[in-house]
Amino acid sequence: PLKDEKGEVNGLLVVMEDVSDLAKLEDEIKESGRYLQKLIEASPYCIVSSNLKGEIISFNKEAERTYGFTAEEVLGKQTTVLQPKKVTPEKNKEIYEVMLKMDGWEGELPNIRKNGEIFPTHLRTSRILDDQGKPVGLISISQDITERNKLEQELNEYTLRLERSNQLKDLFTDIM
């Protein structure tokens, strides 16, 4: 209220701000978030994110299919629920430290399904940073490589058989 010398209200001062651009930007951010969530859910890779305490905060549909757990069963639990006992705390600490220093880790690790079956995965991790660039979580993208490993083993065995066959051919030729 605007008051005169006597203290009586004789008008109002109103400050207005056009927030239509801000509202439009908020809508675009929400739409972008929905789009990103749909991409994550449609991914053919297991995508699991965790906070810095190692608690799972997201678990996509492919992770559910691969591990046999529902998201509800693992959200809030430690990521170690997805690892067999043979993945030592030292290995987890090594991976964690590399992620925090180097922005990520990549390699092969054994994982475990809900039914107890151990299977190999190729894992790539990255840090999740806040607005100030401080790590607040980790995101992991992995893939079950059981079939790939099986095919590689078959290829190696076939290569050995071919080499042996070639040696026998050379021996036969020498004898002839």
Side-chain angles (χ1 to χ4, degrees):
L2 295 174
K3 297 180 181 180
D4 60 17
E5 301 84 35
K6 296 177 187 174
E8 294 180 15
V9 176
N10 63 3
L12 295 172
L13 176 63
V14 178
V15 178
M16 296 174 58
E17 181 180 357
D18 181 4
V19 294
S20 57
D21 288 342
L22 182 59
K24 184 179 176 185
L25 182 61
E26 286 175 352
D27 288 343
E28 288 174 7
I29 290 170
K30 286 178 187 175
E31 182 61 30
S32 177
R34 286 190 292 272
Y35 178 74
L36 181 58
Q37 187 61 39
K38 287 191 182 294
L39 281 176
I40 289 170
E41 287 304 320
S43 175
Y45 298 98
C46 301
I47 301 177
V48 179
S49 62
S50 63
N51 60 27
L52 292 180
K53 295 177 190 173
E55 298 165 337
I56 298 171
I57 55 176
S58 72
F59 198 74
N60 76 339
K61 295 290 182 200
E62 184 61 21
E64 288 184 331
R65 190 190 70 70
T66 300
Y67 289 95
F69 292 100
T70 65
E72 292 77 26
E73 290 176 303
V74 296
L75 292 178
K77 294 205 168 108
Q78 293 291 310
T79 56
T80 54
V81 72
L82 305 174
Q83 299 172 339
K85 299 288 185 236
K86 68 181 179 181
V87 176
T88 64
E90 293 81 21
K91 183 67 173 176
N92 280 329
K93 185 177 179 189
E94 171 197 327
I95 293 169
Y96 183 77
E97 287 175 357
V98 169
M99 280 190 294
L100 291 179
K101 291 177 186 171
M102 306 295 288
D103 186 40
W105 183 88
E106 184 173 355
E108 290 186 20
L109 274 181
N111 277 289
I112 192 165
R113 299 186 208 284
K114 183 178 180 179
N115 67 9
E117 177 189 351
I118 296 173
F119 66 101
T121 60
H122 181 265
L123 176 71
R124 178 177 289 154
T125 63
S126 187
R127 297 180 295 175
I128 301 170
L129 305 174
D130 66 11
D131 294 341
Q132 289 77 41
K134 179 182 169 193
V136 293
L138 306 168
I139 189 159
S140 301
I141 300 174
S142 64
Q143 183 177 29
D144 180 347
I145 57 171
T146 303
E147 198 60 34
R148 184 186 86 180
N149 288 356
K150 183 179 169 186
L151 291 172
E152 284 176 0
Q153 182 179 354
E154 288 174 7
L155 184 60
N156 288 338
E157 290 170 3
Y158 184 69
T159 301
L160 289 173
R161 285 196 311 266
L162 284 176
E163 287 173 357
R164 178 70 180 139
S165 178
N166 207 21
Q167 290 170 351
L168 289 173
K169 177 194 66 89
D170 289 346
L171 180 62
F172 180 75
T173 304
D174 288 346
I175 292 172
M176 289 295 289

